[in-house]
Every structure is written in structure tokens, then in C-alpha cells.
Amino acid sequence: MLNITQPALSRSIAQFEAECGVRLFDRNRRGLTETVLGSGIIAEAQGLLAHAERLGLSMRRRIDAQSGSIALGAGPLAAELILPGLLSRFARERPAVQIETVIDAASALFVQLRRGRIELCIVSRLVVPPDIDMVVRPTADVRLAFLVRTGHPLAGRAGLSIADLAPYPIATGAKGNDIFFQSDGGLRAPATTITCENFTILEKVTRTSDAIWLSSPDALMQGTPLLPLDVIEWRAARQDLCVVHPAGVTLSPLARVVMAELVPAAKQS
């Protein structure tokens, strides 16, 4: 365990005894016998060696991203699309890793990043300010659509225009979507009347009223009774997702694994 020869070990023990003014062993013709003081010191040293070995193993596991902890954030849409696949993969392949997730609006997540409470976050590219002092890396893009309940007055109608949506409440999961979408590729959207960061609430509101939910069909659970409207201008609408993390900060091994996993997780969700 010590990787040291017997003569070198004997010299080290003798030097320790001389420097500390103690005797660890009684030496006689039969060899060495631990003194009472030496027995206690040796037991403590053995504990330190065992701790050092465990520390080395723990460090290797952390470097290999097989243990440790990470805190990451996600906007509502990214949480629905990416987190289930990402967390499932970690549970299968890295069961010792502790993951804390924070689901919130992008502006709140950026505050958490600056305070060091989360290491990275996954949000819509549209809600990232162009002058943000952070690293922004694209991960995936998702479909967008106006979703309604079965039985909605507009359900099943082909070739709708934005004007056809005007009489109904528009629900979104992020503030200012109407502004962002108007500036993204020339797409126009009616003004938002219901804003909520909780997708479960938005799904219930849409399912039980004539509200129209601007979201991604990919975020819906299988069997959810909501339908995308055929709005001509939005037939090919998509939204980019990205990862944001502080500039000039070295990412942990776990964070680098998350970065590498994000695109596959998004595609498989």
C-alpha cells in the first residue's frame, strides 16, 4: 500500500520518532513491538491512508462523471422536451450522480447562473438577450404550433390565418412571446392574454376552454386531447433551444457530459 522498501520505511519511522520525540516501537532481538502511544498513532495513520484511498477513488469517479452532483436549470418548454430523456439516461447510466433541476423563467435562471446556484440552463434562444454576458450554445430546434382542445371552434379547419385566432385567448409559457415571434423569421402571432410557466396548468386551461396554446406538439404527453391548428404562416414554424452557461468558468465533468447529452436527449424525448 505504501510502495516503499523496508529499509526506507525503517528510516522514515526513525526520523519521525526523532523529530517528534516519541517512540512508536520497542526494538529488541525478537523484532519490533508497538508501544501504547505507537499503537494509537498507527491506528490513526491507517485511517488516514484509507481515507486517502477513498478520496482518490472519489476523485476518479468525479473526473469520469460517475458520481458527484450538478444543478441545472430549464425553461418550461425545454423542461418538457429535454429533461425527461436526459434524467432517464443519467438514472440508467450514472445512478450515483445527484442532479438538481430548477424549472423557471429564463430571466430567473440567468440570475441563478450569475450567483453560481446552477451550472448551466436550457432555454429557448428567443428569450436570450442578444447582449447577454454568457456563453450560448445551440442544442436543438422544436416544432411550434397553436394547440386547441378537441371540439374547439377552429379544430379541423384548414388554411387558418392569424386573424382567425384573434377572437380567442392566446396562452404561452414565456412572457413576451408575441414580440419574439413577430421578430423571428417574420412570423406574426396575436398578443398573449394568458402567460404561465407551468405546462400542466396550460394544458388543463387549453383542454377545458377555448384558449389557444402557443407551444410545441412535441411537449405533449401521448394521449393528450389537444390538436394543432393549421395556421398557414406557422406550418413550418420552429424554435431553437440552447444551453447557457457563464463565460470564463470551467465546466465540471458532469456539466460537460450534460452538454454532450443534450442533443440526443432532445431528439429522443
CSV table of all heavy atoms in Angstrom, one decimal, residues 84-139:
chain,number,residue,atom,x,y,z
A,84,PRO,N,-37.0,14.9,-19.3
A,84,PRO,CA,-37.3,13.5,-19.1
A,84,PRO,C,-36.3,12.6,-19.7
A,84,PRO,O,-35.8,11.6,-19.1
A,84,PRO,CB,-38.7,13.4,-19.8
A,84,PRO,CG,-39.3,14.7,-19.7
A,84,PRO,CD,-38.1,15.7,-19.9
A,85,GLY,N,-35.9,12.8,-21.0
A,85,GLY,CA,-34.9,11.9,-21.6
A,85,GLY,C,-33.5,12.0,-21.0
A,85,GLY,O,-32.9,11.0,-20.8
A,86,LEU,N,-33.1,13.2,-20.6
A,86,LEU,CA,-31.8,13.5,-20.0
A,86,LEU,C,-31.7,12.8,-18.7
A,86,LEU,O,-30.8,12.1,-18.4
A,86,LEU,CB,-31.6,15.0,-19.9
A,86,LEU,CG,-30.2,15.4,-19.3
A,86,LEU,CD1,-29.1,15.0,-20.2
A,86,LEU,CD2,-30.2,16.9,-19.1
A,87,LEU,N,-32.7,13.0,-17.8
A,87,LEU,CA,-32.7,12.4,-16.5
A,87,LEU,C,-32.8,10.9,-16.5
A,87,LEU,O,-32.2,10.2,-15.7
A,87,LEU,CB,-33.8,13.0,-15.6
A,87,LEU,CG,-33.7,14.6,-15.4
A,87,LEU,CD1,-34.9,15.0,-14.5
A,87,LEU,CD2,-32.4,14.9,-14.7
A,88,SER,N,-33.6,10.4,-17.4
A,88,SER,CA,-33.7,8.9,-17.6
A,88,SER,C,-32.4,8.3,-17.9
A,88,SER,O,-32.0,7.3,-17.4
A,88,SER,CB,-34.8,8.6,-18.6
A,88,SER,OG,-36.1,9.0,-18.2
A,89,ARG,N,-31.7,9.0,-18.9
A,89,ARG,CA,-30.4,8.4,-19.3
A,89,ARG,C,-29.4,8.5,-18.1
A,89,ARG,O,-28.7,7.5,-17.9
A,89,ARG,CB,-29.9,9.2,-20.5
A,89,ARG,CG,-28.6,8.7,-21.1
A,89,ARG,CD,-28.2,9.4,-22.3
A,89,ARG,NE,-29.3,9.2,-23.3
A,89,ARG,CZ,-29.1,9.6,-24.6
A,89,ARG,NH1,-28.0,10.1,-25.0
A,89,ARG,NH2,-30.1,9.4,-25.5
A,90,PHE,N,-29.4,9.5,-17.3
A,90,PHE,CA,-28.5,9.6,-16.2
A,90,PHE,C,-28.9,8.5,-15.2
A,90,PHE,O,-28.0,7.9,-14.6
A,90,PHE,CB,-28.5,11.0,-15.6
A,90,PHE,CG,-27.4,11.9,-16.1
A,90,PHE,CD1,-27.5,12.4,-17.3
A,90,PHE,CD2,-26.4,12.2,-15.2
A,90,PHE,CE1,-26.4,13.2,-17.8
A,90,PHE,CE2,-25.4,13.0,-15.7
A,90,PHE,CZ,-25.4,13.5,-17.0
A,91,ALA,N,-30.2,8.3,-14.9
A,91,ALA,CA,-30.6,7.3,-14.0
A,91,ALA,C,-30.1,5.9,-14.4
A,91,ALA,O,-29.8,5.1,-13.5
A,91,ALA,CB,-32.1,7.3,-13.8
A,92,ARG,N,-30.1,5.6,-15.7
A,92,ARG,CA,-29.7,4.3,-16.2
A,92,ARG,C,-28.2,4.2,-16.2
A,92,ARG,O,-27.6,3.2,-15.7
A,92,ARG,CB,-30.2,4.1,-17.6
A,92,ARG,CG,-31.7,3.9,-17.7
A,92,ARG,CD,-32.0,3.4,-19.1
A,92,ARG,NE,-31.5,4.2,-20.2
A,92,ARG,CZ,-32.1,5.2,-20.7
A,92,ARG,NH1,-33.3,5.6,-20.3
A,92,ARG,NH2,-31.5,5.9,-21.7
A,93,GLU,N,-27.5,5.2,-16.7
A,93,GLU,CA,-26.0,5.1,-16.9
A,93,GLU,C,-25.1,5.7,-15.8
A,93,GLU,O,-24.0,5.3,-15.7
A,93,GLU,CB,-25.7,5.8,-18.3
A,93,GLU,CG,-26.5,5.2,-19.4
A,93,GLU,CD,-26.2,5.9,-20.7
A,93,GLU,OE1,-25.4,6.9,-20.7
A,93,GLU,OE2,-26.8,5.6,-21.8
A,94,ARG,N,-25.7,6.6,-15.0
A,94,ARG,CA,-24.9,7.2,-14.0
A,94,ARG,C,-25.7,7.3,-12.7
A,94,ARG,O,-26.0,8.4,-12.2
A,94,ARG,CB,-24.4,8.6,-14.4
A,94,ARG,CG,-23.6,8.6,-15.7
A,94,ARG,CD,-23.3,10.0,-16.3
A,94,ARG,NE,-22.9,9.9,-17.6
A,94,ARG,CZ,-21.6,9.7,-18.0
A,94,ARG,NH1,-20.7,9.6,-17.0
A,94,ARG,NH2,-21.2,9.7,-19.2
A,95,PRO,N,-26.1,6.1,-12.1
A,95,PRO,CA,-27.0,6.1,-11.0
A,95,PRO,C,-26.5,6.8,-9.7
A,95,PRO,O,-27.3,7.2,-8.9
A,95,PRO,CB,-27.3,4.7,-10.7
A,95,PRO,CG,-26.1,4.0,-11.3
A,95,PRO,CD,-25.7,4.8,-12.5
A,96,ALA,N,-25.2,7.0,-9.6
A,96,ALA,CA,-24.6,7.6,-8.4
A,96,ALA,C,-24.6,9.1,-8.5
A,96,ALA,O,-24.3,9.8,-7.5
A,96,ALA,CB,-23.2,7.1,-8.1
A,97,VAL,N,-24.9,9.7,-9.6
A,97,VAL,CA,-24.9,11.2,-9.8
A,97,VAL,C,-26.2,11.8,-9.2
A,97,VAL,O,-27.3,11.3,-9.4
A,97,VAL,CB,-24.8,11.5,-11.3
A,97,VAL,CG1,-25.0,13.0,-11.5
A,97,VAL,CG2,-23.4,11.1,-11.8
A,98,GLN,N,-26.0,12.9,-8.5
A,98,GLN,CA,-27.1,13.6,-7.9
A,98,GLN,C,-27.4,14.8,-8.8
A,98,GLN,O,-26.5,15.6,-9.0
A,98,GLN,CB,-26.8,14.1,-6.5
A,98,GLN,CG,-26.5,12.9,-5.5
A,98,GLN,CD,-26.2,13.4,-4.1
A,98,GLN,OE1,-26.2,14.6,-3.8
A,98,GLN,NE2,-25.9,12.5,-3.2
A,99,ILE,N,-28.6,14.9,-9.3
A,99,ILE,CA,-29.0,16.0,-10.2
A,99,ILE,C,-30.1,16.8,-9.6
A,99,ILE,O,-31.1,16.3,-9.2
A,99,ILE,CB,-29.5,15.5,-11.6
A,99,ILE,CG1,-28.4,14.6,-12.2
A,99,ILE,CG2,-29.8,16.6,-12.5
A,99,ILE,CD1,-28.8,14.0,-13.5
A,100,GLU,N,-29.9,18.1,-9.5
A,100,GLU,CA,-30.9,19.1,-9.0
A,100,GLU,C,-31.3,19.9,-10.2
A,100,GLU,O,-30.5,20.5,-10.9
A,100,GLU,CB,-30.4,20.0,-7.9
A,100,GLU,CG,-31.4,21.0,-7.4
A,100,GLU,CD,-30.8,22.0,-6.4
A,100,GLU,OE1,-29.7,21.9,-6.1
A,100,GLU,OE2,-31.6,23.0,-6.1
A,101,THR,N,-32.6,20.0,-10.4
A,101,THR,CA,-33.2,20.8,-11.6
A,101,THR,C,-34.0,21.9,-11.0
A,101,THR,O,-34.7,21.8,-10.1
A,101,THR,CB,-34.0,19.9,-12.5
A,101,THR,OG1,-35.1,19.3,-11.8
A,101,THR,CG2,-33.2,18.7,-13.1
A,102,VAL,N,-33.8,23.1,-11.7
A,102,VAL,CA,-34.6,24.3,-11.4
A,102,VAL,C,-35.4,24.6,-12.7
A,102,VAL,O,-34.8,24.9,-13.7
A,102,VAL,CB,-33.7,25.4,-11.0
A,102,VAL,CG1,-34.5,26.7,-10.7
A,102,VAL,CG2,-32.9,25.0,-9.7
A,103,ILE,N,-36.7,24.6,-12.6
A,103,ILE,CA,-37.5,25.0,-13.7
A,103,ILE,C,-38.1,26.3,-13.5
A,103,ILE,O,-38.9,26.5,-12.5
A,103,ILE,CB,-38.6,23.9,-14.0
A,103,ILE,CG1,-38.0,22.5,-14.2
A,103,ILE,CG2,-39.5,24.3,-15.2
A,103,ILE,CD1,-39.0,21.4,-14.3
A,104,ASP,N,-37.8,27.3,-14.3
A,104,ASP,CA,-38.2,28.7,-14.1
A,104,ASP,C,-38.1,29.5,-15.4
A,104,ASP,O,-37.7,28.9,-16.4
A,104,ASP,CB,-37.3,29.3,-13.0
A,104,ASP,CG,-38.1,30.4,-12.2
A,104,ASP,OD1,-39.0,31.0,-12.8
A,104,ASP,OD2,-37.7,30.6,-11.1
A,105,ALA,N,-38.5,30.7,-15.4
A,105,ALA,CA,-38.4,31.6,-16.5
A,105,ALA,C,-36.9,31.9,-16.8
A,105,ALA,O,-36.1,31.8,-15.9
A,105,ALA,CB,-39.1,32.9,-16.2
A,106,ALA,N,-36.6,32.1,-18.0
A,106,ALA,CA,-35.2,32.3,-18.4
A,106,ALA,C,-34.5,33.4,-17.6
A,106,ALA,O,-33.4,33.3,-17.2
A,106,ALA,CB,-35.1,32.6,-19.9
A,107,SER,N,-35.2,34.5,-17.4
A,107,SER,CA,-34.6,35.7,-16.6
A,107,SER,C,-34.2,35.2,-15.2
A,107,SER,O,-33.2,35.6,-14.7
A,107,SER,CB,-35.6,36.8,-16.6
A,107,SER,OG,-36.8,36.4,-16.0
A,108,ALA,N,-35.1,34.4,-14.6
A,108,ALA,CA,-34.7,33.9,-13.2
A,108,ALA,C,-33.6,33.0,-13.3
A,108,ALA,O,-32.7,32.9,-12.4
A,108,ALA,CB,-35.9,33.3,-12.6
A,109,LEU,N,-33.5,32.1,-14.3
A,109,LEU,CA,-32.4,31.2,-14.5
A,109,LEU,C,-31.1,31.9,-14.7
A,109,LEU,O,-30.0,31.5,-14.2
A,109,LEU,CB,-32.7,30.2,-15.6
A,109,LEU,CG,-33.9,29.3,-15.4
A,109,LEU,CD1,-34.1,28.5,-16.7
A,109,LEU,CD2,-33.7,28.4,-14.2
A,110,PHE,N,-31.1,33.0,-15.4
A,110,PHE,CA,-29.8,33.8,-15.6
A,110,PHE,C,-29.3,34.3,-14.3
A,110,PHE,O,-28.1,34.4,-14.1
A,110,PHE,CB,-30.1,34.9,-16.6
A,110,PHE,CG,-30.5,34.4,-18.0
A,110,PHE,CD1,-31.2,35.2,-18.9
A,110,PHE,CD2,-30.1,33.1,-18.4
A,110,PHE,CE1,-31.6,34.7,-20.1
A,110,PHE,CE2,-30.5,32.7,-19.7
A,110,PHE,CZ,-31.2,33.5,-20.5
A,111,VAL,N,-30.2,34.7,-13.4
A,111,VAL,CA,-29.8,35.2,-12.1
A,111,VAL,C,-29.2,34.1,-11.3
A,111,VAL,O,-28.1,34.3,-10.7
A,111,VAL,CB,-31.0,35.8,-11.3
A,111,VAL,CG1,-30.6,36.1,-9.9
A,111,VAL,CG2,-31.6,37.0,-12.0
A,112,GLN,N,-29.8,32.9,-11.4
A,112,GLN,CA,-29.2,31.7,-10.7
A,112,GLN,C,-27.8,31.4,-11.3
A,112,GLN,O,-26.9,31.0,-10.5
A,112,GLN,CB,-30.1,30.5,-10.9
A,112,GLN,CG,-31.5,30.7,-10.3
A,112,GLN,CD,-31.6,30.3,-8.9
A,112,GLN,OE1,-30.8,30.7,-8.1
A,112,GLN,NE2,-32.6,29.6,-8.5
A,113,LEU,N,-27.6,31.5,-12.6
A,113,LEU,CA,-26.3,31.3,-13.2
A,113,LEU,C,-25.3,32.2,-12.6
A,113,LEU,O,-24.2,31.8,-12.2
A,113,LEU,CB,-26.4,31.4,-14.7
A,113,LEU,CG,-27.0,30.3,-15.5
A,113,LEU,CD1,-27.1,30.6,-16.9
A,113,LEU,CD2,-26.2,29.0,-15.3
A,114,ARG,N,-25.6,33.5,-12.6
A,114,ARG,CA,-24.7,34.5,-12.1
A,114,ARG,C,-24.3,34.3,-10.6
A,114,ARG,O,-23.2,34.6,-10.2
A,114,ARG,CB,-25.2,35.9,-12.3
A,114,ARG,CG,-25.3,36.3,-13.8
A,114,ARG,CD,-25.7,37.8,-14.0
A,114,ARG,NE,-25.7,38.2,-15.4
A,114,ARG,CZ,-26.8,38.1,-16.1
A,114,ARG,NH1,-28.0,37.8,-15.6
A,114,ARG,NH2,-26.7,38.5,-17.4
A,115,ARG,N,-25.2,33.8,-9.8
A,115,ARG,CA,-25.0,33.6,-8.4
A,115,ARG,C,-24.3,32.2,-8.2
A,115,ARG,O,-24.0,31.9,-7.0
A,115,ARG,CB,-26.3,33.6,-7.7
A,115,ARG,CG,-26.9,35.0,-7.6
A,115,ARG,CD,-28.3,35.1,-6.9
A,115,ARG,NE,-28.8,36.4,-6.8
A,115,ARG,CZ,-30.0,36.7,-6.3
A,115,ARG,NH1,-30.8,35.7,-5.9
A,115,ARG,NH2,-30.4,38.0,-6.3
A,116,GLY,N,-24.1,31.4,-9.2
A,116,GLY,CA,-23.4,30.2,-9.1
A,116,GLY,C,-24.3,29.1,-8.5
A,116,GLY,O,-23.8,28.0,-8.1
A,117,ARG,N,-25.6,29.2,-8.5
A,117,ARG,CA,-26.5,28.2,-7.9
A,117,ARG,C,-26.8,27.1,-8.9
A,117,ARG,O,-27.2,26.0,-8.4
A,117,ARG,CB,-27.8,28.9,-7.4
A,117,ARG,CG,-27.5,29.9,-6.2
A,117,ARG,CD,-28.8,30.6,-5.8
A,117,ARG,NE,-28.6,31.5,-4.7
A,117,ARG,CZ,-29.5,32.3,-4.2
A,117,ARG,NH1,-30.7,32.4,-4.7
A,117,ARG,NH2,-29.1,33.1,-3.2
A,118,ILE,N,-26.7,27.4,-10.2
A,118,ILE,CA,-26.8,26.4,-11.2
A,118,ILE,C,-25.6,26.5,-12.1
A,118,ILE,O,-25.1,27.6,-12.2
A,118,ILE,CB,-28.1,26.4,-12.0
A,118,ILE,CG1,-28.3,27.8,-12.6
A,118,ILE,CG2,-29.3,26.1,-11.1
A,118,ILE,CD1,-29.5,27.9,-13.5
A,119,GLU,N,-25.2,25.4,-12.8
A,119,GLU,CA,-24.1,25.5,-13.6
A,119,GLU,C,-24.4,25.8,-15.1
A,119,GLU,O,-23.6,26.4,-15.8
A,119,GLU,CB,-23.3,24.1,-13.5
A,119,GLU,CG,-21.9,24.2,-14.0
A,119,GLU,CD,-21.1,23.0,-13.6
A,119,GLU,OE1,-21.6,22.1,-13.0
A,119,GLU,OE2,-19.9,22.9,-14.0
A,120,LEU,N,-25.5,25.5,-15.5
A,120,LEU,CA,-26.0,25.8,-16.9
A,120,LEU,C,-27.5,25.7,-16.9
A,120,LEU,O,-28.1,25.2,-16.0
A,120,LEU,CB,-25.4,24.8,-17.9
A,120,LEU,CG,-25.5,23.3,-17.7
A,120,LEU,CD1,-26.9,22.8,-18.2
A,120,LEU,CD2,-24.4,22.5,-18.3
A,121,CYS,N,-28.1,26.3,-18.0
A,121,CYS,CA,-29.5,26.2,-18.1
A,121,CYS,C,-29.9,26.0,-19.6
A,121,CYS,O,-29.1,26.3,-20.5
A,121,CYS,CB,-30.2,27.4,-17.6
A,121,CYS,SG,-29.9,28.9,-18.5
A,122,ILE,N,-31.0,25.4,-19.9
A,122,ILE,CA,-31.5,25.1,-21.2
A,122,ILE,C,-32.8,26.0,-21.4
A,122,ILE,O,-33.8,25.8,-20.7
A,122,ILE,CB,-31.8,23.6,-21.4
A,122,ILE,CG1,-30.7,22.8,-20.8
A,122,ILE,CG2,-32.1,23.3,-22.8
A,122,ILE,CD1,-31.2,21.4,-20.3
A,123,VAL,N,-32.7,26.8,-22.4
A,123,VAL,CA,-33.9,27.7,-22.6
A,123,VAL,C,-34.1,27.9,-24.1
A,123,VAL,O,-33.3,27.5,-24.9
A,123,VAL,CB,-33.6,29.1,-22.0
A,123,VAL,CG1,-33.5,29.0,-20.4
A,123,VAL,CG2,-32.4,29.8,-22.5
A,124,SER,N,-35.2,28.6,-24.4
A,124,SER,CA,-35.4,29.0,-25.8
A,124,SER,C,-34.5,30.1,-26.2
A,124,SER,O,-34.2,31.0,-25.5
A,124,SER,CB,-36.9,29.5,-26.0
A,124,SER,OG,-37.0,30.2,-27.2
A,125,ARG,N,-33.9,30.0,-27.4
A,125,ARG,CA,-33.0,31.0,-27.9
A,125,ARG,C,-33.7,32.4,-28.0
A,125,ARG,O,-33.0,33.4,-27.9
A,125,ARG,CB,-32.5,30.6,-29.3
A,125,ARG,CG,-31.4,31.6,-29.8
A,125,ARG,CD,-30.2,31.5,-29.0
A,125,ARG,NE,-29.1,32.4,-29.4
A,125,ARG,CZ,-29.0,33.7,-29.1
A,125,ARG,NH1,-29.9,34.2,-28.3
A,125,ARG,NH2,-28.0,34.4,-29.5
A,126,LEU,N,-35.0,32.4,-28.2
A,126,LEU,CA,-35.7,33.7,-28.4
A,126,LEU,C,-35.7,34.5,-27.1
A,126,LEU,O,-35.9,35.7,-27.2
A,126,LEU,CB,-37.1,33.4,-28.8
A,126,LEU,CG,-37.2,32.7,-30.2
A,126,LEU,CD1,-38.7,32.4,-30.5
A,126,LEU,CD2,-36.7,33.6,-31.3
A,127,VAL,N,-35.5,33.9,-25.9
A,127,VAL,CA,-35.6,34.6,-24.7
A,127,VAL,C,-34.2,35.0,-24.1
A,127,VAL,O,-34.1,35.5,-23.0
A,127,VAL,CB,-36.4,33.8,-23.6
A,127,VAL,CG1,-37.9,33.6,-24.1
A,127,VAL,CG2,-35.8,32.5,-23.3
A,128,VAL,N,-33.2,34.7,-24.9
A,128,VAL,CA,-31.8,35.1,-24.5
A,128,VAL,C,-31.5,36.5,-25.1
A,128,VAL,O,-31.5,36.6,-26.3
A,128,VAL,CB,-30.8,34.1,-25.0
A,128,VAL,CG1,-29.4,34.5,-24.6
A,128,VAL,CG2,-31.1,32.7,-24.5
A,129,PRO,N,-31.2,37.5,-24.2
A,129,PRO,CA,-30.9,38.8,-24.7
A,129,PRO,C,-29.7,38.7,-25.6
A,129,PRO,O,-28.7,38.0,-25.3
A,129,PRO,CB,-30.6,39.6,-23.4
A,129,PRO,CG,-31.4,38.8,-22.4
A,129,PRO,CD,-31.3,37.4,-22.7
A,130,PRO,N,-29.7,39.5,-26.7
A,130,PRO,CA,-28.5,39.4,-27.6
A,130,PRO,C,-27.2,39.9,-27.0
A,130,PRO,O,-26.1,39.5,-27.4
A,130,PRO,CB,-28.9,40.4,-28.8
A,130,PRO,CG,-30.0,41.3,-28.2
A,130,PRO,CD,-30.7,40.4,-27.2
A,131,ASP,N,-27.3,40.7,-25.9
A,131,ASP,CA,-26.1,41.2,-25.3
A,131,ASP,C,-25.7,40.5,-24.0
A,131,ASP,O,-25.0,41.0,-23.2
A,131,ASP,CB,-26.2,42.7,-25.0
A,131,ASP,CG,-27.4,43.0,-24.1
A,131,ASP,OD1,-28.3,42.1,-23.9
A,131,ASP,OD2,-27.5,44.2,-23.6
A,132,ILE,N,-26.3,39.3,-23.8
A,132,ILE,CA,-26.0,38.6,-22.5
A,132,ILE,C,-24.5,38.3,-22.4
A,132,ILE,O,-23.9,37.9,-23.4
A,132,ILE,CB,-26.9,37.3,-22.5
A,132,ILE,CG1,-26.8,36.8,-21.0
A,132,ILE,CG2,-26.4,36.3,-23.5
A,132,ILE,CD1,-27.9,35.7,-20.8
A,133,ASP,N,-24.0,38.4,-21.2
A,133,ASP,CA,-22.6,38.2,-21.0
A,133,ASP,C,-22.3,36.7,-20.6
A,133,ASP,O,-21.7,36.4,-19.6
A,133,ASP,CB,-22.1,39.1,-19.9
A,133,ASP,CG,-22.9,39.0,-18.6
A,133,ASP,OD1,-24.0,38.4,-18.6
A,133,ASP,OD2,-22.4,39.4,-17.5
A,134,MET,N,-22.8,35.8,-21.4
A,134,MET,CA,-22.7,34.4,-21.1
A,134,MET,C,-22.4,33.6,-22.4
A,134,MET,O,-22.7,34.2,-23.5
A,134,MET,CB,-23.9,33.8,-20.4
A,134,MET,CG,-24.1,34.4,-19.0
A,134,MET,SD,-25.4,33.5,-18.1
A,134,MET,CE,-25.5,34.5,-16.6
A,135,VAL,N,-22.0,32.4,-22.3
A,135,VAL,CA,-21.8,31.5,-23.5
A,135,VAL,C,-23.2,30.9,-23.8
A,135,VAL,O,-23.9,30.4,-23.0
A,135,VAL,CB,-20.8,30.4,-23.2
A,135,VAL,CG1,-20.7,29.5,-24.4
A,135,VAL,CG2,-19.5,31.0,-22.8
A,136,VAL,N,-23.6,31.0,-25.1
A,136,VAL,CA,-24.8,30.5,-25.6
A,136,VAL,C,-24.5,29.5,-26.7
A,136,VAL,O,-23.9,29.8,-27.7
A,136,VAL,CB,-25.7,31.6,-26.2
A,136,VAL,CG1,-27.1,31.0,-26.6
A,136,VAL,CG2,-26.0,32.7,-25.1
A,137,ARG,N,-24.9,28.2,-26.5
A,137,ARG,CA,-24.7,27.2,-27.4
A,137,ARG,C,-26.0,26.5,-27.9
A,137,ARG,O,-26.8,26.0,-27.1
A,137,ARG,CB,-23.8,26.1,-26.8
A,137,ARG,CG,-22.4,26.6,-26.4
A,137,ARG,CD,-21.5,25.6,-25.8
A,137,ARG,NE,-20.2,26.1,-25.4
A,137,ARG,CZ,-19.3,25.3,-24.8
A,137,ARG,NH1,-19.5,24.0,-24.6
A,137,ARG,NH2,-18.1,25.9,-24.5
A,138,PRO,N,-26.2,26.5,-29.2
A,138,PRO,CA,-27.5,25.8,-29.7
A,138,PRO,C,-27.4,24.3,-29.4
A,138,PRO,O,-26.4,23.7,-29.5
A,138,PRO,CB,-27.4,26.2,-31.2
A,138,PRO,CG,-26.0,26.4,-31.5
A,138,PRO,CD,-25.4,27.0,-30.3
A,139,THR,N,-28.6,23.8,-29.2
A,139,THR,CA,-28.7,22.3,-29.0
A,139,THR,C,-29.7,21.7,-29.9
A,139,THR,O,-29.3,20.7,-30.5
A,139,THR,CB,-29.2,22.0,-27.5
A,139,THR,OG1,-30.5,22.6,-27.3
A,139,THR,CG2,-28.2,22.6,-26.5
